Amino acid sequence: MIAVTIDKLCAKHPAFEKYVFERIDAFYGTSTGTNAAIFIIAGLTAGMLCGAYIPDIPRYFSLGAMVAAWVFTSMLAGFLRQWLFIMVPALYLMLPHLLYIIPGSSAAEQASDLQILLSDLSEGVLLQPIRPFAGDNDLYIVSIVMFVCCLAVFLLGLRFRSRAKRSNTYCKRRLEQLRDEE
């Protein structure tokens, strides 16, 4: 249905067809590393802003931007079949729980200064954007839910790619790209 609508709009409006071609070129020009960097930078930025003493509006804006970036990068990685990208949300959302040392525990007494620094950074920056979503729930469970959401959006991107093959405009541009690569 969407493919037919896009094909009709492209047939009627050459400027829209040019725009669609540019988007397809931009999508296929995006590497796994670029998607991973955007995902991580969005999370770190939101973590630093949520941990800072700033008003609520910029804090919520940063969380919204982080969620939008995570959804877009997960969708695009799925569309481009960048299977390695799945490791990025998994590591980003699970690694802080592995590094975190509970203060006052026996592990904290035996930890080196570097381990305590990494624990403080993971708790203070990486886990910070998850706290508003957690509420009274455990951060570990919320991290797993967020990873599952990223995975679901990735799979949705895979589905969009299979649906895009029904569009003449998409197929036309993709064939041109493949010919240019040869």
Side-chain angles (χ1 to χ4, degrees):
M1 177 97 172
I2 293 174
V4 172
T5 305
I6 289 175
D7 287 342
K8 286 180 182 178
L9 284 172
C10 288
K12 290 180 183 176
H13 306 286
F16 182 72
E17 182 179 45
K18 182 182 176 193
Y19 175 78
V20 169
F21 282 1
E22 289 171 356
R23 293 296 60 108
I24 293 170
D25 292 342
F27 285 175
Y28 280 97
T30 306
S31 67
T32 306
T34 302
N35 273 340
I38 292 170
F39 187 94
I40 292 168
I41 290 169
L44 290 175
T45 303
M48 286 186 250
L49 288 175
C50 286
Y53 296 104
I54 60 172
D56 285 342
I57 293 174
R59 184 176 299 161
Y60 292 130
F61 179 74
S62 70
L63 287 173
M66 177 196 73
V67 169
W70 284 8
V71 166
F72 182 76
T73 55
S74 296
M75 177 78 70
L76 185 57
F79 187 83
L80 296 175
R81 295 182 188 155
Q82 295 172 343
W83 294 99
L84 191 58
F85 177 82
I86 292 299
M87 296 302 296
V88 174
L91 288 174
Y92 186 88
L93 293 167
M94 296 302 141
L95 189 63
H97 299 288
L98 298 175
L99 296 176
Y100 183 66
I101 299 172
I102 299 170
S105 67
S106 62
E109 294 174 12
Q110 298 172 356
S112 69
D113 290 339
L114 178 64
Q115 289 172 321
I116 291 182
L117 175 68
L118 288 174
S119 174
D120 290 345
L121 281 174
S122 70
E123 196 272 331
V125 176
L126 298 178
L127 291 177
Q128 207 60 355
I130 298 170
R131 289 189 191 288
F133 299 108
D136 294 334
N137 298 321
D138 185 19
L139 287 175
Y140 185 71
I141 301 299
V142 175
S143 294
I144 290 172
V145 168
M146 290 179 111
F147 170 70
V148 169
C149 289
C150 287
L151 182 61
V153 171
F154 179 88
L155 295 173
L156 190 61
L158 285 172
R159 178 140 170 91
F160 279 160
R161 182 180 178 130
S162 68
R163 294 281 185 159
K165 293 176 184 174
R166 296 179 182 173
S167 168
N168 292 332
T169 306
Y170 170 80
C171 291
K172 176 181 166 184
R173 185 59 183 167
R174 193 64 187 125
L175 285 173
E176 289 173 5
Q177 286 178 335
L178 293 173
R179 279 190 212 121
D180 290 344
E181 289 177 7
E182 292 176 351

